[in-house]
Amino acid sequence: MGLSRSAIIVVAWLLAFDDFKTVEQACTFVQQRRPQIVLGSKRMELLEQWHISITQNPMNMNLVKC
């Protein structure tokens, strides 16, 4: 239990506020540190959508920073 929820938040944060350019890169970083996490295809799809959202429309970041 809880092997994907916190991981998806960490990956989303890394994409938004760190130097990770791809979802795969951020996921690999997290999985190297916590090999037990499970990120299924649905969660990966959500992360891809999140990444597209924040890279195509930087104004979306204002919502995150509030």
Side-chain angles (χ1 to χ4, degrees):
M1 257 168 87
L3 297 177
S4 64
R5 286 178 291 181
S6 59
I8 197 170
I9 291 168
V10 170
V11 172
W13 188 91
L14 289 171
L15 289 167
F17 299 108
D18 214 318
D19 290 330
F20 293 93
K21 304 294 183 211
T22 67
V23 171
E24 183 178 294
Q25 194 180 40
C27 285
T28 299
F29 178 82
V30 173
Q31 287 177 323
Q32 286 174 342
R33 281 141 185 86
R34 295 289 185 270
Q36 69 272 24
I37 68 166
V38 178
L39 292 173
S41 59
K42 289 281 189 187
R43 285 181 170 68
M44 292 297 287
E45 186 177 317
L46 288 171
L47 285 167
E48 291 288 351
Q49 291 172 6
W50 162 254
H51 190 238
I52 290 167
S53 172
I54 63 173
T55 54
Q56 288 185 347
N57 187 359
M59 292 302 292
N60 287 341
M61 290 307 298
N62 290 333
L63 298 173
V64 174
K65 293 179 184 177
C66 292

